[in-house]
Amino acid sequence: MTDRPNTDAFLTLYHSHVNKIYAYLMVRCGHAQTAEDLTSQVWMKAWQAWPSVRPERPTSWVYQIARHTLIDHQRHQPDIAWDGLEAAMNRSGHDASQDIAEIRQALWKLADEQRDIIVMRVWDGLSFAEIAEVLNSSESACKMRYQRGVVRLGSLLTLLTLFLYAQS
Amino acid sequence: MPNPNIDQLLDELYVIDPSLRGHESQVRAALERLMRQSPSFTLSPTTIQKIQTSMMEQQPVEKRKLAWPALIGIPSIAAAVVAGFLLYPKSPTPNSSGSSKGVTITAKGSSAFGAFVDGTRVHANRNALATSESDVATPTKDSGAGMILPSGASASFVYADQITIPQLPVLQRTKGFSSNASLSAGGLLNLGTIDGLRVDTLSASQQTADGYYVTIDYRDGNVSMYKNSGLFKSMAEPAVLGTREGVSSVAPDVSTMSKTSAVSAAKTFAQTHGISTAGYADPFVQVWSGQTVSDEKVPAPAVVVFPLVLNGQPVYDESGNRYGLQMTVDQNGDVLSVYNLTTLQFTSSTYAVTTDTKAISDYLARGGWMWSGISSGAKKYSVDAPTSGYVISRYSVDQTTNEYYVPALIFPVKAADQLSTGRTSIVVPVLDSLLKQQVNVMPVIDLPASTGSGSAAGSTEPTSLPE
C-alpha cells in the first residue's frame, strides 16, 4: 500500500497538473470527452506507477505518460490531432477566430516534433530539459527543433496574413 | 514552472540562434500571436474530484494482479500477446486468408477500393522519429531574402532521363486479427447476451520500473510496446546522475552506440518475444540526415527498422523513409519501444497508373506531397534514377482509417546532397488521383531581408503577392 506522505505528494502533483495534462490532451485530440477519458487514464497510470518509480522530475514524467497515452489512442482513431484549437475558436469573437485559424494552419505545417516542442514551451510552459525528457531526446536537439520551428512558424504566419489580405 | 513571457522566449531563442535578432519583428509577432491564443481548457471541479476518487479507490501495490481475468499470472510479454489473441471474439474480415505470419495478399477486382483518396488524408509518419524537413546542421544565417522561408522551399528536385512507370497493384492492409476466440468476464456477466460485442484495445503492463506497457489494438491489428525504463531510468538513478538536478545537465547530450549492436539487440528481442520478421527485409538503423556520428556509430537511442517488402517491392512512407516494424534501442541494448507491429494480410486491386510524366516531374520538383511551393531562388538537386516501390497512404472515412500501399517511384537523393536537403529519397506515387491531390502546397513569397534589429526593423511587406 502507498503510505500517507507519498499519497500526499502524489495528490499535490495531481492537483497542480491535472488541468495542464487535460489541456495538453485537449489541444491534441480536440474532443472534450476523449480528452477527459485520456486524462483519467493518464492519472490512473501515474498513480499505479507512483510507488515503484518515485520520479525525480514529476512534471515531465506525467507528461511522458500523457504523450504515450495519446499515441496509443491515436493509433486506432482517425488522425484528428490538434483540433482542440478549433474548440478555442468558439470561445472568442470573429477576430480571434481568424487568428486561431491562421495559427492552426501554420502549426499544422510544421514537423510533428517542432510543433509539439513549440506548444510545450509556449503554451504548456515546460522547460527544454523537461521537454527533452518527455520526448526522450536531448535538450540540444529539442532547442534546435524549437528554433527551426519558430523560424518556420514566423514565415508561415507572415505568408498566411499576406495571402489572406490579398484574398480579401 | 510558470509560463514564460515574450521577453524570456526571445532571450532564450537568441541564445540558441543569435542571428534571429535581425528578424525580431517577425519572430516576436509569431510568438506573441501564439501566446495570445493560448487555449485555456480546464476540467470541472466535479470531474477532478471524480478522477481523484477513482484513483484512491485503487491503492497501488508493488505487484498487483492484472484486472483482466484471463491474464492473471502471465509471466512474459509474449504470453500476454498470445492471451490477447485468445480473447478476441471473432474475425472482423471474412476475406482474410488467416495467416498471422509473413505477408499474404488476396487479389480483388480492379478499382476494388473505389476512390479511396476521397477520404481524409492521414499523416503516414505521424509518430516516426525521423523528421521530414530540411534538417541542416548549422543554424540559420542572416543571408537575406528567403532566410525565413518554410524549410523545403529552397530545394527543388529534378530527374532528366526517361522513367519507367511501375505497373503494380494497390494494396490495402486488412485490419484486425483473424483468430477466433470468446470473451470472458470472469463469470460476472454473460457477455454472449450482448450482441456484436468486440474487443477494441487491451493494455497490459509490468508494474515495475523496468517493465513494459503493451497495447493490443484488435480493430487495427497492431501491437505497440513501451518500456518504463526508457522514460524513468535517469530519474530513478540519482546517484548515477550526480547532485545537479535534471537529466540533461549531467547526462551527455548525445550518447552513441554502434549500429551493429542496435540491430543485434532488435533481432534478439524479436526472437525472444516471438515477433515474426517474415515479410520484412534485413533490419537497419534509421538515421536523420546529419545525425550519424560516424559510419558505424549513431546517437542513442537508435531506431531500428525492419523494412516491409510487398510483392517484392520496398515500402516507403511519404517522407521518403523505409517503412516497417520499428524498435527503439538504447545504448544498453534495451528495446525501449516497438511500433508498427501489425498484421500483414492484404488485398490487392489493379488501378490504372499515370501516363502524365509532367505531373511526376512537378511532384518530384517540390519534394513530395507535403512540401510548400518552390521559391524563385531554390537550388535544383539532380536525383538518381528511380526504382519502383510502394508508398503507404492512409485515408480516413467515417471514423475508419484505411491503410493503402500505392505503387510509387522512389528517387534517391544523391549522398552528397542528403545533408543539405535533409532528404534521402523523394517518393512519387504513380496514381493520378494522388499525384494531383495537392495538399499543403502554399504560395511562397520571397521576403526582403530585415534592415535592423528590434521593433525598428524594416517591415515585412513583400515585394510581390501571390496570384
Side-chain angles (χ1 to χ4, degrees):
Chain A
M1 300 288 282
T2 307
D3 57 61
R4 185 70 206 197
N6 276 315
T7 302
D8 288 346
F10 181 83
L11 288 176
T12 300
L13 173 71
Y14 172 69
H15 283 284
S16 62
H17 285 75
V18 62
N19 278 323
K20 292 184 182 185
I21 294 297
Y22 174 66
Y24 172 91
L25 293 166
M26 182 61 190
V27 165
R28 288 157 177 83
C29 79
H31 186 250
Q33 187 57 53
T34 302
E36 194 176 299
D37 291 344
L38 292 176
T39 301
S40 179
Q41 286 179 39
V42 167
W43 288 106
M44 288 299 292
K45 287 178 188 175
W47 174 233
Q48 292 302 321
W50 185 252
S52 313
V53 177
R54 311 271 176 92
E56 194 172 298
R57 188 170 280 170
T59 297
S60 40
W61 173 68
V62 78
Y63 270 92
Q64 282 173 321
I65 297 175
R67 180 168 176 261
H68 283 105
T69 303
L70 183 65
I71 288 171
D72 271 349
H73 168 76
Q74 287 177 335
R75 283 187 179 278
H76 65 273
Q77 293 291 332
D79 190 343
I80 55 170
W82 302 95
D83 276 0
L85 293 176
E86 305 220 1
M89 279 171 66
N90 297 329
R91 297 182 292 111
S92 308
H94 171 75
D95 288 342
S97 298
Q98 175 82 8
D99 209 20
I100 282 282
E102 288 175 23
I103 289 169
R104 181 182 186 275
Q105 193 174 355
L107 280 173
W108 186 247
K109 292 187 188 305
L110 300 182
D112 287 352
E113 285 210 338
Q114 288 177 348
R115 180 173 56 240
D116 219 0
I117 292 170
I118 287 174
V119 169
M120 279 197 276
R121 181 72 193 108
V122 178
W123 285 352
D124 300 326
L126 297 180
S127 68
F128 285 113
E130 290 169 330
I131 292 170
E133 287 168 10
V134 174
L135 298 180
N136 200 22
S137 179
S138 69
E139 198 174 331
S140 59
C142 288
K143 285 178 178 175
M144 191 159 61
R145 285 183 211 126
Y146 172 76
Q147 174 260 338
R148 292 195 183 129
V150 170
V151 165
R152 189 166 182 197
L153 188 69
S155 65
L156 288 169
L157 286 174
T158 307
L159 293 175
L160 274 167
T161 302
L162 294 168
F163 184 61
L164 291 167
Y165 171 78
Q167 296 286 301
S168 65
Chain B
M1 176 176 181
N3 281 28
N5 59 38
I6 183 62
D7 291 318
Q8 284 172 315
L9 291 176
L10 288 171
D11 285 344
E12 70 187 14
L13 206 49
Y14 298 152
V15 169
I16 299 170
D17 184 1
S19 72
L20 286 178
R21 285 187 189 277
H23 300 270
E24 178 165 321
S25 58
Q26 284 163 297
V27 174
R28 175 181 285 271
L31 288 173
E32 279 179 338
R33 287 180 74 182
L34 202 57
M35 292 171 72
R36 198 163 56 235
Q37 299 301 345
S38 173
S40 173
F41 298 114
T42 54
L43 291 167
S44 69
T46 307
T47 302
I48 292 174
Q49 185 56 47
K50 190 172 96 177
I51 295 174
Q52 179 177 333
T53 303
S54 297
M55 286 193 292
M56 295 301 111
E57 283 173 355
Q58 295 190 30
Q59 282 290 323
V61 295
E62 284 301 322
K63 290 181 184 179
R64 69 178 177 92
K65 292 180 179 178
L66 297 172
W68 196 266
L71 291 178
I72 289 175
I74 299 283
S76 72
I77 307 298
V81 174
V82 168
F85 277 86
L86 293 175
L87 288 169
Y88 187 69
K90 61 181 177 181
S91 169
T93 51
N95 287 333
S96 168
S97 58
S99 171
S100 62
K101 289 189 184 293
V103 172
T104 59
I105 300 174
T106 307
K108 287 189 162 184
S110 62
S111 302
F113 312 135
F116 58 89
V117 299
D118 288 346
T120 304
R121 196 160 191 168
V122 175
H123 275 297
N125 62 334
R126 176 140 206 89
N127 296 311
L129 288 180
T131 63
S132 52
E133 54 152 344
S134 296
D135 207 356
V136 181
T138 54
T140 55
K141 304 290 184 193
D142 192 358
S143 56
M147 193 197 89
I148 309 187
L149 285 170
S151 58
S154 58
S156 166
F157 301 91
V158 62
Y159 182 74
D161 289 342
Q162 272 195 320
I163 54 177
T164 302
I165 297 174
Q167 304 286 331
L168 294 167
V170 175
L171 304 177
Q172 180 181 8
R173 187 170 69 86
T174 304
K175 297 212 163 179
F177 296 125
S178 58
S179 304
N180 293 329
S182 57
L183 277 173
S184 167
L188 296 175
L189 168 68
N190 182 359
L191 294 169
T193 61
I194 306 172
D195 288 337
L197 200 62
R198 53 190 289 183
V199 179
D200 288 340
T201 59
L202 184 147
S203 292
S205 61
Q206 294 177 303
Q207 296 297 303
T208 61
D210 273 342
Y212 282 99
Y213 282 116
V214 179
T215 303
I216 306 162
D217 186 329
Y218 289 89
R219 287 194 182 259
D220 187 88
N222 80 67
V223 174
S224 57
M225 302 171 64
Y226 312 105
K227 194 179 202 305
N228 278 339
S229 66
L231 304 176
F232 310 134
K233 183 192 295 185
S234 53
M235 298 178 209
E237 297 174 358
V240 173
L241 295 175
T243 56
R244 287 188 63 188
E245 63 177 351
V247 172
S248 59
S249 60
V250 178
D253 270 351
V254 177
S255 302
T256 61
M257 63 187 300
S258 81
K259 289 181 184 176
T260 308
S261 66
V263 169
S264 175
K267 282 179 166 176
T268 301
F269 186 88
Q271 200 168 22
T272 303
H273 296 291
I275 296 174
S276 170
T277 56
Y280 300 101
D282 288 340
F284 64 94
V285 173
Q286 187 175 64
V287 295
W288 305 333
S289 62
Q291 184 187 34
T292 307
V293 176
S294 69
D295 282 344
E296 173 54 18
K297 292 272 191 191
V298 286
V303 175
V304 177
V305 177
F306 293 75
L308 183 61
V309 176
L310 297 174
N311 280 338
Q313 303 289 320
V315 180
Y316 287 79
D317 65 23
E318 287 158 330
S319 302
N321 304 304
R322 287 296 295 272
Y323 174 82
L325 169 63
Q326 285 191 10
M327 295 186 191
T328 309
V329 184
D330 74 6
Q331 60 269 36
N332 300 319
D334 290 330
V335 171
L336 304 181
S337 64
V338 177
Y339 288 109
N340 294 340
L341 176 56
T342 69
T343 53
L344 296 177
Q345 284 78 59
F346 301 84
T347 49
S348 74
S349 176
T350 308
Y351 280 73
V353 298
T354 189
T355 54
D356 189 344
T357 51
K358 182 175 185 308
I360 292 177
S361 296
D362 289 345
Y363 200 98
L364 169 66
R366 67 171 189 268
W369 76 275
M370 61 183 286
W371 297 92
S372 57
I374 305 164
S375 72
S376 58
K379 181 176 176 182
K380 280 193 168 56
Y381 292 91
S382 176
V383 294
D384 287 334
T387 54
S388 61
Y390 278 105
V391 60
I392 178 171
S393 292
R394 294 188 178 91
Y395 290 87
S396 67
V397 178
D398 296 333
Q399 304 295 310
T400 299
T401 299
N402 294 309
E403 206 171 284
Y404 300 100
Y405 295 77
V406 176
L409 286 164
I410 318 298
F411 291 87
V413 174
K414 294 185 193 299
D417 298 331
Q418 288 181 9
L419 180 60
S420 52
T421 62
R423 308 293 297 278
T424 53
S425 308
I426 311 297
V427 176
V428 180
V430 295
L431 296 191
D432 274 328
S433 51
L434 267 80
L435 268 179
K436 289 159 188 182
Q437 185 184 50
Q438 294 197 357
V439 293
N440 291 336
V441 179
M442 284 185 60
V444 172
I445 302 172
D446 291 329
L447 298 176
S450 237
T451 54
S453 62
S455 57
S459 74
T460 55
E461 287 297 315
T463 54
S464 63
L465 289 173
E467 295 176 15

